[in-house]
Amino acid sequence: MDMGDCQTRQSDDGGATTDIMNPPTVPSSLSIFHEDILLSILSFVADTPFEMAGHDNPTFGQSSLTHTLPLVSKQFHRLTKQHDIFWENALLRLVKKEHLWEDGMKRFVFDSKCDKIRSDILKRNHNRNRRDKRTRNHQLQQQQTRAEAGATTQTSATSNIENLKSENSDNTAKEEALLKQACDAIEAYPPHNHTASSSGIHQCIYKSIVNHHLRYQGPVFYMPSAIRLGSPYGLHFFEPRYRLLMSEVMAPYPVSARRGERISPMVPSLIPNNSLRHNGDDDDIKADLLNVLEQNQSLLGKYQLPTFIHAHQSPLRKNTPATIVQVRQCMVSRDGSADVYLEPIAYIWIDQVWERTGTGGLYEAQGIRMGKEVSESYEYYRDLPRTIPPYSA
């Protein structure tokens, strides 16, 4: 049999020949769908990292959208990489389902606005330093600037009221309105690490929430004990490594916070801020800052106070539960020992843990926050009485 016999084969009825070495490709059944329909179908199975609760490995950061669907075919790979709708749908699902993600998106908007105010302060100080000896013209310019800022603020307030009215009239869902705020914030003042294009804006928001809200890193105090969220307790730190822990945690706060007085929330380079003038030159920036702070009082109380990790369950390793505790009151003695009053605010799954060199045994850990449902389940099963089955011969 020669090569020609191998390449072709005649049908029994003497019809046309077929190439048996290169059989015809069978079109995929998915090719009959329009791309929009296919995207809608895939959205039902395209879960995102850390979306699926109850996974055997709670710090497992893989998902069907990032690690499964792109490997199915070139078409799936193109759809999952080029379309941001999967990340948009995931954010809407998670914000609606889990308060943890709602707080994360609010923090994203808050941090973006704070970055914008910091940028305004730097520009104002830079321009102020470049002015040499302007007197009357400078004052006239400042008065004009304040008048324009006041008009802008009034216009902004009016537009905000109109937006709220339109949102209420259209019955816009809360999660959709919050996501729109996040998109507007990232477009107006993008974060420093933002490299995604406009088509990937939802993926950028998702990554930012995971990296700066779900993930938590801090020094570790290790002592097995029974801890419950919202139930404060007191401790006395006397070991050198834990004296160092409290020294680092309380360092950004005023001296009064280490003397047993009330600890107030802090926002780096904004609260407190000594670079803003009191003669009226910076009233527009002060108004913006005050507005942002008033709108985010709950976030300040939750996330802008000193915190660290209390590892209360052994062993100290990956996937072990631990707790983020907030320092509500602190009294540091002259020898460095400290009496502290702590409030547990969130459970985490430890993802990484390591000993810091030169600290006398102080550990650092990174973890993933638990959602409300997982936290309640953890407390329920942890508090169940552990009975020993009777011995039978």
Side-chain angles (χ1 to χ4, degrees):
M1 181 183 297
D2 58 8
M3 184 60 70
D5 295 333
C6 293
Q7 293 292 335
T8 61
R9 175 176 297 174
Q10 188 173 8
S11 61
D12 295 338
D13 57 356
T17 59
T18 58
D19 189 346
I20 62 175
M21 297 297 293
N22 298 297
T25 58
V26 179
S28 171
S29 58
L30 295 175
S31 61
I32 64 176
F33 294 107
H34 189 273
E35 186 170 291
D36 291 341
I37 299 177
L38 190 56
L39 289 174
S40 179
I41 294 174
L42 292 180
S43 65
F44 287 96
V45 294
D47 62 90
T48 50
F50 307 109
E51 181 177 1
M52 304 302 292
H55 196 279
D56 294 336
N57 185 353
T59 59
F60 190 67
Q62 297 187 6
S63 67
S64 63
L65 178 59
T66 57
H67 293 79
T68 304
L69 292 177
L71 304 179
V72 174
S73 65
K74 292 182 178 180
Q75 184 185 22
F76 279 23
H77 183 274
R78 178 180 60 82
L79 292 176
T80 55
K81 297 300 181 183
Q82 293 183 357
H83 290 274
D84 202 39
I85 188 173
F86 300 112
W87 300 97
E88 178 184 3
N89 292 338
L91 286 170
L92 292 174
R93 288 196 304 267
L94 289 167
V95 170
K96 183 177 182 179
K97 175 183 177 182
E98 181 57 67
H99 187 69
L100 174 66
W101 282 84
E102 181 181 349
D103 266 10
M105 193 170 295
K106 289 180 179 179
R107 287 186 70 185
F108 177 86
V109 176
F110 173 74
D111 291 341
S112 298
K113 292 182 178 180
C114 288
D115 287 342
K116 174 61 166 55
I117 295 175
R118 293 187 187 99
S119 177
D120 291 343
I121 293 175
L122 291 175
K123 290 179 181 178
R124 180 68 56 85
N125 291 336
H126 178 69
N127 294 334
R128 184 178 291 138
N129 293 333
R130 294 183 61 182
R131 300 189 190 107
D132 296 325
K133 294 182 179 180
R134 298 180 182 177
T135 55
R136 181 173 299 178
N137 292 337
H138 171 66
Q139 294 175 359
L140 292 175
Q141 183 180 4
Q142 288 296 323
Q143 292 175 2
Q144 183 180 1
T145 302
R146 289 196 299 270
E148 293 175 355
T152 303
T153 303
Q154 184 176 1
T155 304
S156 175
T158 304
S159 62
N160 287 338
I161 294 174
E162 291 176 355
N163 290 337
L164 289 175
K165 288 181 179 179
S166 63
E167 287 177 2
N168 292 333
S169 62
D170 295 338
N171 295 323
T172 305
K174 180 178 68 173
E175 55 271 13
E176 293 178 354
L178 184 57
L179 181 57
K180 185 179 184 303
Q181 291 181 26
C183 294
D184 293 343
I186 199 174
E187 290 178 348
Y189 14 85
H192 300 299
N193 60 348
H194 177 47
T195 57
S197 62
S198 58
S199 61
I201 189 171
H202 297 98
Q203 184 177 3
C204 179
I205 295 173
Y206 194 100
K207 288 182 178 180
S208 182
I209 294 175
V210 170
N211 293 330
H212 301 106
H213 179 66
L214 261 65
R215 295 189 186 276
Y216 176 87
Q217 179 175 328
V220 177
F221 168 69
Y222 178 66
M223 185 182 75
S225 56
I227 292 180
R228 197 171 189 87
L229 297 184
S231 299
Y233 60 99
L235 289 175
H236 175 69
F237 289 148
F238 59 90
E239 293 186 42
R241 55 178 174 172
Y242 297 137
R243 296 183 189 183
L244 175 63
L245 181 151
M246 289 307 303
S247 175
E248 292 179 351
V249 167
M250 300 302 298
Y253 295 82
V255 177
S256 60
R258 300 188 288 275
R259 294 178 177 173
E261 298 183 18
R262 180 178 179 269
I263 303 177
S264 299
M266 284 191 61
V267 181
S269 71
L270 291 182
I271 307 177
N273 187 293
N274 298 322
S275 62
L276 296 176
R277 293 190 173 184
H278 300 282
N279 61 356
D281 290 349
D282 297 328
D283 285 353
D284 54 336
I285 296 180
K286 290 181 181 179
D288 291 340
L289 177 59
L290 182 61
N291 185 39
V292 171
L293 297 179
E294 287 179 347
Q295 293 176 356
N296 296 275
Q297 286 294 325
S298 61
L299 294 182
L300 293 174
K302 285 183 181 180
Y303 303 107
Q304 303 302 138
L305 291 173
T307 56
F308 60 90
I309 297 174
H310 183 171
H312 52 88
Q313 186 169 325
S314 60
L316 188 58
R317 65 184 183 187
K318 184 180 178 70
N319 293 334
T320 298
T323 305
I324 302 173
V325 293
Q326 196 175 74
V327 182
R328 305 298 296 181
Q329 191 173 16
C330 175
M331 175 68 73
V332 180
S333 303
R334 292 183 178 180
D335 61 356
S337 62
D339 293 293
V340 295
Y341 191 62
L342 308 172
E343 181 176 352
I345 60 172
Y347 294 125
I348 62 171
W349 298 107
I350 293 179
D351 186 25
Q352 301 178 44
V353 59
W354 62 94
E355 182 179 350
R356 292 166 46 184
T357 58
T359 60
L362 181 62
Y363 282 83
E364 187 92 359
Q366 184 182 84
I368 303 293
R369 294 177 187 263
M370 298 185 194
K372 181 179 179 181
E373 182 179 346
V374 177
S375 298
E376 292 175 349
S377 298
Y378 167 67
E379 286 187 341
Y380 174 77
Y381 288 106
R382 182 197 60 188
D383 297 339
L384 285 178
R386 299 181 179 180
T387 58
I388 302 177
Y391 173 76
S392 58

